[in-house]
Amino acid sequence: MDSKDLRIGTWNANGIRDKIEEFSVYLKENKIDICFVSETHLTKHSHIKINGYNVHHTIHPDNQANGGSAIFIKNNLKYNEDLSIQLDKVQLTALIVSSTKQHFKVGAVYLPPRHNLKEEDYMLILKHMGDRFILGGDFNAKHSLWGSRLDNTKGRELKKAIDKIGCNVHSSGKPTYWPTDRNKIPDVLDFFITKKIASNFINIEDNYDLNSDHSSIIMTLSETVIKKPIKPTLSNKTTDWESFKIQLDQEVNLDIDLATNDQLDKAVANFTELIQQTVWSNTKTVTHKTPGFNYPMEVRNLVKNKRKLRRSWHVTRDPAMKTKLNSESQKIKRLIQQLKETSANSFLENLTADKSTNYSLWKTTKKLRRKITHVPPILKGDNEYAKTDQEKADTFATHLQNIFTPNEPTTDSNECPPQTENNWHKTIKKVTLKELKRELKYNINPKKSPGYDLITGLVLKKLPTKGLKMLLLLVNATFRLMYVPAQWKIAEMIMILKPGKKATEMKSYRPISLLPIMSKLFEKIFLKRLKPIIEGKNLLPNHQFGFRQRHSTIEQVHRLIDIIEKALEGEEVCSIIFLDVSQAFDKVWHEGLLYKLNKLLPVQFVNLLKSYITDRMFRVNHETGYSDLKDIRAGVPQGSVLGPILYLLFTSDLPQTPNVVTATFADDTANAATAKTDEESALLLQRSNDLVEIWTKKWRIKLNDQKAVHVNYTNKIISNPKRLTINGNIIPYENTAKYLGMNLDAKAKWVEHTKIKLTELQIRFSQLHWILGRKSRTSTYNKLLVYNQILKPIWMYGIQLWGCASRSHISKLQRFQNKVLRTIANAPWYIRNSDLHRDLGVPLVEDIIKQIATKHKNRLMQHENPEALKLLDNNQISRRLKRTKPFELVA
């Protein structure tokens, strides 16, 4: 650590006297210069001594062993003691630290949780700290500004005071309070507040060395700008690609043997390492540009003059000189405020959505007010928390390793049948250099995140001719040997929290798999050889619309809507069960998949796919933590183009039941049956359920019974609906169900769907109001662009179907659009909505419905799937009800 750095810690000790030995070790091991301790539990008669440190503390006013604050400061630092605050609701210890270059006040504070402090209370504390300070401790206040998972009243009041005083808050976003009760959730209660200390010179780190229900955080205050660590990358803007090509051309050796699997593995490893080293040797190390505001010379000159006046006043203490100093300070403050406002307005005015400004509009819309991101801990299997990045990476890796195992066979299921001899031979076509270049040019995205090897699509696109030839040799050797290299089967997992899920639970996270780009290139080329076989043999059922070209979610939902509409017109009951497969892609049974592939594909393709899905490995990357490599024993590869196709082939024999319509989109499955009564339709569905249950047990597929939903679509009143079961469990009965992003209510009137969309729109609009609002200086063109690209798609999805909703529901969306357009144009009340739409070039909602419905009809007319073509047959539909049908929405 640089000797010029000042290390300041803050910790809630919950009683310091019994922990003084470990606290002493903590101070020395972490080279702490100053430490703020809250909840010391000291009294007037307490005496604390640590070698090399001076101690100043403030006790609770009742002199009982509770509350209190203290500052431990190295005795070689120059400081003076300042007035403390000793109240029932605030215990504050303050010192004034001085050095040749720095002069500021430091304070340790403890605010007991039982007191509801208001804005004025916090203002008193912050004003007491003076003009330049560092304040730390346990504030017992929560707000997202300092990384808490939620806001409470005290947090909101403290934030108001912070904003008024003009302070900054510093926290890592990771919890500092660790309740022993597992029903309570850890959160951020301890943090630093600073004033007139630049954030560029501050770094915050967590520390878990001390034994308490609170962990410590440490602030490093440097005299130089602290460089933030960046994730490792191969290339950046400084990479000399011409030099890279020349060097790689010189070092690539095409005269290699690729006759065995081991030779192919070695060649891939050597080529990967060669690319990495060549890119690194032609790339300069770049650190992030330091954020800040570059002031013009006018301001700098005023600051110089202000410093001269301050020095003169310090010498003379002349009141007239003090008046001049205050006047100059106010002048600088007003000028800086004006410059910042001008700069902010100029920034908003010059936003664009194109490459000229690096797509600044879209990057800006992602950035709301800068807050510290809450970083939750992860609850491990032993009921302890994973706190550090490394602990979290290891915890997630163990969790995923358990997931990537096949479901256990049930008592009445059979093992995989023995493989039959496959006499279908078909050589996998070799790849040409022309095909490889075309695939790299059109189907490899240079901006996609790389795998563990850090090689991006851009690096592959920059390969010289010899590099491309080496890549060609490797891909063709993979086809010839029917063996996928080991390095191409390593995935790097990034864990993403699912929306609305509990952040401390492992199962609340979705793994995002990052595969090597060379592996993705191989997959794309191989898929072009696999697809003609799948399509030529019609291996995928017509009811499967997932991951297939020219098939969409809207068409699949339309199939269900068509069945529901016919049932309503015929005074019948359409019963639909929506099934959910638990961890569908992650639990695919490899032996069962290979058995089915052997029956469906040529032997060469089967052998290559066997190598592709077996012996795969993964590691988890969580911030700075990396887990060890773990085995994958089940599932199809995530993040790949082959994975979804393999899942479709694995589930292609899903059993069908007479008079039951099946609609699948990957693992989202719906079975529908129509009859005169709900008992009859339920009986049909129960037969289907029984067949599905037998099939899932045979192939080790597990249905999530709790997420399955049963809905009766009818205008009849059904007081006691017939209940359905699967796996011996009753399927929950509901009046609405969400399928492929659309909410289908029992009357098919789209009431629930439009309600949910309006709520989502209101929330998103409030988040974007700072850039779309009347006072925003963003150009009208850019405001419209944000509306059309971010807000409009929210309600446009599926509009060719839910456009059949009543006019009252459509008008709600129209009113929302009217409000947004008025805000964008800053239009006065007397401007007509029709004039706004005309001048801004935005069509009415009803016009959009007609346009999208017409496109949908034209798409169906050219569809290759007979199930989709049936949607155009409207000749036999009776018209008993006054309901709008999707085909009647066309212009």
Side-chain angles (χ1 to χ4, degrees):
M1 184 61 64
D2 194 324
S3 59
K4 294 182 180 180
D5 292 344
L6 190 68
R7 300 266 287 173
I8 304 174
T10 184
W11 175 50
N12 180 313
N14 195 15
I16 187 68
R17 284 179 294 184
D18 296 337
K19 302 165 185 171
I20 200 66
E21 291 184 5
E22 64 170 310
F23 181 62
S24 178
V25 173
Y26 159 80
L27 293 176
K28 290 177 173 59
E29 289 291 323
N30 293 285
K31 300 179 181 179
I32 304 296
D33 299 293
I34 305 172
C35 190
F36 307 147
V37 180
S38 52
E39 208 169 353
T40 57
H41 295 180
L42 298 177
T43 66
K44 290 179 180 179
H45 307 291
S46 301
H47 179 69
I48 297 290
K49 185 176 181 180
I50 293 180
N51 188 31
Y53 288 84
N54 296 330
V55 185
H56 299 267
H57 66 91
T58 303
I59 64 172
H60 194 276
D62 64 7
N63 197 31
Q64 297 297 314
N66 57 65
S69 65
I71 296 179
F72 291 76
I73 183 168
K74 275 189 173 180
N75 51 25
N76 62 354
L77 290 177
K78 185 179 179 182
Y79 70 92
N80 295 310
E81 194 168 358
D82 194 60
L83 293 175
S84 62
I85 299 178
Q86 188 177 9
L87 302 173
D88 186 43
K89 60 184 177 183
V90 180
Q91 292 101 58
L92 170 67
T93 307
L95 303 175
I96 300 172
V97 178
S98 303
S99 69
T100 55
K101 293 186 177 181
Q102 302 197 46
H103 183 84
F104 54 87
K105 189 182 289 189
V106 296
V109 68
Y110 177 63
L111 306 177
R114 65 180 179 274
H115 298 289
N116 293 320
L117 276 67
K118 301 299 181 185
E119 179 185 347
E120 52 269 22
D121 298 312
Y122 292 117
M123 291 283 286
L124 177 68
I125 298 170
L126 297 178
K127 286 181 178 179
H128 179 83
M129 292 301 297
D131 194 48
R132 189 167 186 257
F133 64 81
I134 299 173
L135 177 67
D138 182 0
F139 292 84
N140 275 302
K142 300 180 183 181
H143 199 280
S144 57
L145 181 64
W146 45 87
S148 300
R149 63 185 182 86
L150 49 80
D151 301 352
N152 63 9
T153 304
K154 290 195 286 188
R156 287 187 284 269
E157 294 294 312
L158 176 55
K159 181 183 176 297
K160 290 178 186 177
I162 287 171
D163 290 342
K164 282 191 178 180
I165 298 293
C167 304
N168 293 319
V169 183
H170 305 276
S171 160
S172 67
K174 296 180 180 179
T176 59
Y177 170 57
W178 304 91
T180 53
D181 184 356
R182 285 294 177 259
N183 293 321
K184 295 181 180 179
I185 302 176
D187 214 337
V188 179
L189 296 181
D190 310 77
F191 48 90
F192 294 99
I193 299 176
T194 65
K195 184 179 180 184
K196 291 191 177 179
I197 295 178
S199 299
N200 299 340
F201 297 83
I202 291 174
N203 182 59
I204 302 293
E205 61 189 86
D206 298 277
N207 184 279
Y208 304 103
D209 295 343
L210 295 164
N211 181 27
S212 172
D213 57 350
H214 285 249
S215 56
S216 164
I217 59 172
I218 301 172
M219 169 190 286
T220 301
L221 179 61
S222 177
E223 290 187 358
T224 58
V225 173
I226 294 176
K227 301 273 192 305
K228 302 295 182 183
I230 58 176
K231 283 205 168 187
T233 58
L234 278 185
S235 62
N236 55 43
K237 293 180 180 179
T238 69
T239 304
D240 187 344
W241 291 112
E242 289 304 316
S243 177
F244 161 76
K245 291 179 180 180
I246 294 171
Q247 183 178 340
L248 195 67
D249 252 338
Q250 293 172 346
E251 298 188 20
V252 169
N253 178 22
L254 297 177
D255 187 18
I256 57 173
D257 291 328
L258 295 174
T260 66
N261 297 346
D262 289 340
Q263 289 175 338
L264 178 56
D265 276 332
K266 184 177 179 181
V268 168
N270 291 339
F271 186 54
T272 300
E273 185 179 357
L274 179 59
I275 291 175
Q276 292 171 336
Q277 296 298 332
T278 308
V279 176
W280 274 325
S281 64
N282 289 282
T283 302
K284 296 178 182 178
T285 302
V286 174
T287 56
H288 288 307
K289 185 177 179 182
T290 303
F293 191 85
N294 294 320
Y295 294 106
M297 189 58 67
E298 179 185 4
V299 174
R300 296 179 189 178
N301 291 334
L302 288 173
V303 171
K304 287 181 181 179
N305 188 42
K306 173 189 170 183
R307 288 171 179 167
K308 289 179 182 179
L309 291 171
R310 183 191 291 118
R311 285 195 294 269
S312 299
W313 180 72
H314 283 166
V315 173
T316 63
R317 295 293 172 174
D318 183 4
M321 189 64 67
K322 177 63 173 176
T323 302
K324 287 183 180 180
L325 175 61
N326 292 341
S327 175
E328 197 74 4
S329 298
Q330 290 300 317
K331 184 178 179 181
I332 293 172
K333 185 176 180 180
R334 288 192 298 269
L335 182 57
I336 290 176
Q337 185 64 30
Q338 181 182 351
L339 286 169
K340 286 188 174 181
E341 288 179 1
T342 304
S343 175
N345 291 334
S346 175
F347 172 74
L348 290 174
E349 289 170 356
N350 292 302
L351 291 175
T352 69
D354 52 45
K355 194 176 181 180
S356 62
T357 60
N358 199 20
Y359 309 100
S360 57
L361 179 63
W362 304 128
K363 290 184 177 181
T364 303
T365 55
K366 293 181 181 179
K367 296 179 182 178
L368 305 179
R369 175 159 185 189
R370 296 184 70 182
K371 298 179 180 179
I372 297 171
T373 304
H374 176 65
V375 184
I378 306 300
L379 194 59
K380 298 188 289 186
D382 56 2
N383 213 29
E384 294 295 325
Y385 283 110
K387 301 175 182 178
T388 67
D389 292 339
Q390 186 60 50
E391 286 179 340
K392 291 178 183 178
D394 293 338
T395 300
F396 279 129
T398 303
H399 171 65
L400 290 179
Q401 189 176 30
N402 293 331
I403 288 178
F404 297 146
T405 56
N407 291 315
E408 292 297 325
T410 55
T411 53
D412 56 346
S413 66
N414 299 320
E415 288 298 318
C416 187
Q419 291 280 10
T420 57
E421 186 178 356
N422 189 344
N423 295 317
W424 184 11
H425 294 271
K426 183 178 177 65
T427 304
I428 304 174
K429 183 182 175 183
K430 289 180 64 176
V431 188
T432 64
L433 186 59
K434 182 179 180 181
E435 181 185 2
L436 183 71
K437 289 181 178 179
R438 185 171 62 249
E439 200 67 33
L440 279 172
K441 183 177 181 181
Y442 296 109
N443 292 327
I444 295 296
N445 188 341
K447 295 184 179 180
K448 285 287 186 180
S449 298
Y452 78 98
D453 58 9
L454 302 180
I455 296 176
T456 62
L458 177 63
V459 174
L460 290 191
K461 286 175 179 284
K462 296 291 186 179
L463 287 178
T465 302
K466 282 185 71 175
L468 291 173
K469 288 181 178 178
M470 173 57 78
L471 188 56
L472 182 67
L473 286 175
L474 298 177
V475 174
N476 280 329
T478 300
F479 288 168
R480 186 181 70 257
L481 297 173
M482 293 170 284
Y483 172 77
V484 179
Q487 283 202 0
W488 289 2
K489 297 193 288 185
I490 298 176
E492 184 151 305
M493 298 291 184
I494 309 294
M495 308 302 290
I496 305 296
L497 180 64
K498 299 175 185 177
K501 298 295 183 179
K502 195 173 181 180
T504 56
E505 295 183 357
M506 289 183 286
K507 63 182 181 181
S508 300
Y509 290 79
R510 177 183 293 110
I512 302 298
S513 176
L514 302 179
L515 299 175
I517 298 296
M518 281 191 275
S519 173
K520 289 186 176 182
L521 177 66
F522 147 73
E523 290 179 38
K524 289 176 184 290
I525 294 172
F526 178 66
L527 185 59
K528 288 189 174 181
R529 287 147 174 75
L530 180 62
K531 269 190 175 181
I533 298 175
I534 294 174
E535 294 171 355
K537 293 288 186 178
N538 292 321
L539 298 182
L540 299 181
N542 290 332
H543 62 73
Q544 178 60 264
F545 277 53
F547 301 111
R548 300 178 67 180
Q549 288 184 343
R550 298 176 294 276
H551 289 67
S552 72
T553 55
I554 300 302
E555 291 150 6
Q556 189 66 290
V557 178
H558 192 173
R559 289 183 64 215
L560 293 184
I561 293 299
D562 186 61
I563 297 168
I564 293 169
E565 289 288 349
K566 289 176 180 176
L568 294 174
E569 291 287 357
E571 297 185 80
E572 295 179 310
V573 178
C574 176
S575 296
I576 302 182
I577 177 175
F578 300 89
L579 299 174
D580 180 81
V581 180
S582 180
Q583 298 169 335
F585 288 77
D586 299 332
K587 290 288 190 180
V588 171
W589 181 30
H590 285 172
E591 288 78 5
L593 172 61
L594 291 172
Y595 174 81
K596 293 185 179 184
L597 293 178
N598 193 56
K599 294 177 64 177
L600 300 173
L601 301 175
V603 64
Q604 289 86 345
F605 286 74
V606 175
N607 290 337
L608 182 56
L609 288 172
K610 179 180 180 180
S611 173
Y612 174 74
I613 65 173
T614 56
D615 300 322
R616 299 190 72 90
M617 304 186 79
F618 76 95
R619 73 174 184 183
V620 174
N621 168 218
H622 187 84
E623 300 297 335
T624 59
Y626 290 87
S627 73
D628 294 332
L629 289 174
K630 303 285 187 180
D631 293 325
I632 298 175
R633 297 178 49 233
V636 292
Q638 292 187 32
S640 67
V641 295
L642 284 177
I645 297 298
L646 292 176
Y647 181 80
L648 298 188
L649 292 173
F650 182 59
T651 57
S652 60
D653 58 345
L654 177 71
Q656 305 293 294
T657 306
N659 300 318
V660 174
V661 175
T662 299
T664 55
F665 196 94
D667 59 319
D668 290 304
T669 304
N671 288 330
T674 302
K676 287 295 181 182
T677 64
D678 72 304
E679 289 86 357
E680 294 176 23
S681 61
L683 182 61
L684 290 171
L685 279 184
Q686 189 58 59
R687 290 174 184 168
S688 174
N689 285 354
D690 295 340
L691 290 176
V692 170
E693 182 179 335
I694 295 171
W695 178 81
T696 54
K697 288 179 178 179
K698 179 179 180 181
W699 299 109
R700 299 197 191 181
I701 296 172
K702 185 177 180 181
L703 294 174
N704 192 332
D705 306 327
Q706 298 303 313
K707 287 189 177 181
V709 177
H710 171 211
V711 183
N712 283 330
Y713 294 89
T714 181
N715 284 326
K716 297 180 178 181
I717 298 175
I718 303 177
S719 57
N720 189 21
K722 182 74 173 178
R723 293 305 179 95
L724 300 173
T725 62
I726 195 163
N727 293 331
N729 298 316
I730 296 176
I731 297 174
Y733 181 84
E734 304 288 349
N735 287 320
T736 184
K738 187 174 183 179
Y739 183 66
L740 300 180
M742 303 193 72
N743 295 276
L744 311 178
D745 56 271
K747 304 294 182 183
K749 291 186 177 181
W750 302 102
V751 177
E752 189 69 18
H753 185 79
T754 51
K755 179 182 177 181
I756 291 173
K757 289 300 174 185
L758 276 170
T759 302
E760 186 179 350
L761 285 165
Q762 295 290 356
I763 294 172
R764 196 73 175 116
F765 180 52
S766 65
Q767 293 174 339
L768 293 170
H769 195 270
W770 65 279
I771 199 171
L772 296 177
R774 292 177 181 266
K775 294 182 179 180
S776 170
R777 297 295 291 272
T778 311
S779 67
T780 304
Y781 172 80
N782 280 336
K783 288 181 180 181
L784 281 174
L785 209 55
V786 171
Y787 172 67
N788 287 327
Q789 296 295 323
I790 297 179
L791 291 176
K792 201 172 177 181
I794 293 175
W795 59 263
M796 275 186 61
Y797 174 71
I799 199 171
Q800 55 270 65
L801 302 179
W802 72 258
C804 298
S806 65
R807 293 183 63 87
S808 62
H809 295 305
I810 301 295
S811 63
K812 292 176 183 178
L813 270 300
Q814 183 61 63
R815 286 196 293 272
F816 172 80
Q817 181 166 279
N818 295 343
K819 181 178 75 171
V820 175
L821 295 184
R822 284 188 172 278
T823 304
I824 287 174
N826 194 18
W829 63 270
Y830 52 80
I831 298 296
R832 293 176 181 270
N833 289 325
S834 57
D835 294 339
L836 266 178
H837 282 73
R838 182 199 63 217
D839 295 342
L840 295 176
V842 178
L844 297 169
V845 174
E846 289 187 353
D847 293 335
I848 292 175
I849 292 173
K850 293 178 182 178
Q851 294 171 11
I852 302 298
T854 302
K855 289 181 181 179
H856 177 61
K857 180 181 178 182
N858 294 335
R859 179 183 172 90
L860 288 176
M861 292 174 66
Q862 301 172 8
H863 214 285
E864 60 186 28
N865 194 319
E867 293 296 328
L869 290 172
K870 289 179 183 178
L871 300 173
L872 296 171
D873 185 12
N874 304 308
N875 297 327
Q876 299 179 353
I877 294 182
S878 59
R879 297 310 305 266
R880 184 179 62 86
L881 304 172
K882 293 181 179 180
R883 296 172 62 94
T884 305
K885 311 293 189 225
F887 62 85
E888 295 174 335
L889 297 175
V890 297

